[in-house]
Amino acid sequence: DAGVIQSPRHEVTEMGQEVTLRCKPISGHNSLFWYRQTMMRGLELLIYFNNNVPIDDSGMPEDRFSAKMPNASFSTLKIQPSEPRDSAVYFCASSRGADRLNEQFFGPGTRLTVL
Amino acid sequence: GESVGLHLPTLSVQEGDNSIINCAYSNSASDYFIWYKQESGKGPQFIIDIRSNMDKRQGQRVTVLLNKTVKHLSLQIAATQPGDSAVYFCAENDQGGKLIFGQGTELSVKP
């Protein structure tokens, strides 16, 4: 079992550039979650999808952030334009079914640095 | 400028001792709780969960206790090992489908 796959693992970019983070959930899982982790704010849910449909995006910080899930095996989180305060580790997680009591499996994360 | 980060609570234990990590949750309507372990450079990893109709649940070397009266959760690790060194997060599900994570506690195991 490959687990949740995220790419890239590290991204360094300059302020104003577009950043795209990618996630492949575990096969057969139909809920997908994007989280951001910083020392100041801890682990925060940004958005989650069920069956490729966004269910709750209230955690998305502002319009510069957008997320898509075009199919069951792929999701992207895009930041445009990026700012230094977006520097964080971004995690993708997936779970089986729509039951909120199902275990979420996390990917290894993408460490984003915006200069 | 340089940002100031939070300093996580730290628990330091001797190898072989038992560890107890505590967590206070915020929402009395939360009915599902999970403990996650996060090692350096990795994503959080599920350890154990408990539903609000229970007050204790045991796994392999781990026990979670839930006190709904005071909204308190604890994780007990028996015979702590160096491989248990990590940051431990509690998370609550408030019936809205989202997990809300606590700030985390760093466990350091001394050999």
Side-chain angles (χ1 to χ4, degrees):
Chain A
D1 189 350
V4 175
I5 299 172
Q6 291 187 246
S7 64
R9 292 295 311 277
H10 302 273
E11 176 81 26
V12 180
T13 191
E14 292 187 342
M15 181 173 63
Q17 296 298 306
E18 177 180 295
V19 174
T20 299
L21 311 181
R22 297 173 176 80
C23 175
K24 177 177 169 53
I26 294 172
S27 177
H29 285 191
N30 51 15
S31 291
L32 183 140
F33 307 80
W34 281 103
Y35 290 88
R36 177 173 67 176
Q37 186 175 41
T38 62
M39 281 301 295
M40 288 295 292
R41 301 176 65 90
L43 199 60
E44 305 172 280
L45 178 68
L46 300 177
I47 185 171
Y48 80 93
F49 296 83
N50 183 252
N51 291 325
N52 313 337
V53 176
I55 303 300
D56 187 338
D57 65 354
S58 60
M60 296 286 263
E62 48 196 277
D63 291 345
R64 297 184 297 105
F65 286 69
S66 63
K68 294 182 179 179
M69 192 164 185
N71 58 62
S73 59
F74 184 66
S75 176
T76 59
L77 178 68
K78 185 175 293 186
I79 308 172
Q80 166 63 15
S82 58
E83 297 182 2
R85 60 194 168 117
D86 302 329
S87 298
V89 181
Y90 291 81
F91 289 102
C92 176
S94 71
S95 69
R96 187 185 304 276
D99 186 347
R100 63 186 176 84
L101 304 186
N102 288 332
E103 178 184 345
Q104 292 184 23
F105 293 82
F106 282 75
T110 295
R111 181 174 293 276
L112 173 64
T113 302
V114 183
L115 304 174
Chain B
E2 188 176 24
S3 62
V4 178
L6 289 173
H7 291 283
L8 292 176
T10 301
L11 175 65
S12 183
V13 301
Q14 202 70 38
E15 181 179 359
D17 287 351
N18 297 334
S19 303
I20 300 177
I21 301 171
N22 296 303
C23 176
Y25 63 93
S26 57
N27 191 339
S28 56
S30 294
D31 64 352
Y32 179 56
F33 306 87
I34 310 170
W35 279 101
Y36 281 89
K37 172 186 180 183
Q38 186 176 21
E39 297 174 283
S40 181
K42 297 183 179 180
Q45 179 185 12
F46 174 94
I47 302 174
I48 191 168
D49 60 0
I50 188 168
R51 302 192 182 198
S52 60
N53 61 354
M54 304 171 68
D55 53 21
K56 180 178 180 179
R57 189 161 189 229
Q58 287 185 291
Q60 188 177 18
R61 279 203 309 120
V62 294
T63 301
V64 55
L65 299 177
L66 174 63
N67 185 330
K68 295 182 287 294
T69 302
V70 295
K71 294 190 286 187
H72 184 267
L73 200 63
S74 69
L75 177 70
Q76 301 178 1
I77 305 173
T80 314
Q81 303 168 1
D84 295 327
S85 294
V87 177
Y88 289 81
F89 294 93
C90 66
E92 61 182 298
N93 188 304
D94 64 356
Q95 304 188 37
K98 299 192 297 189
L99 284 180
I100 300 170
F101 283 80
Q103 67 172 129
T105 296
E106 183 172 5
L107 175 65
S108 175
V109 182
K110 296 176 288 187

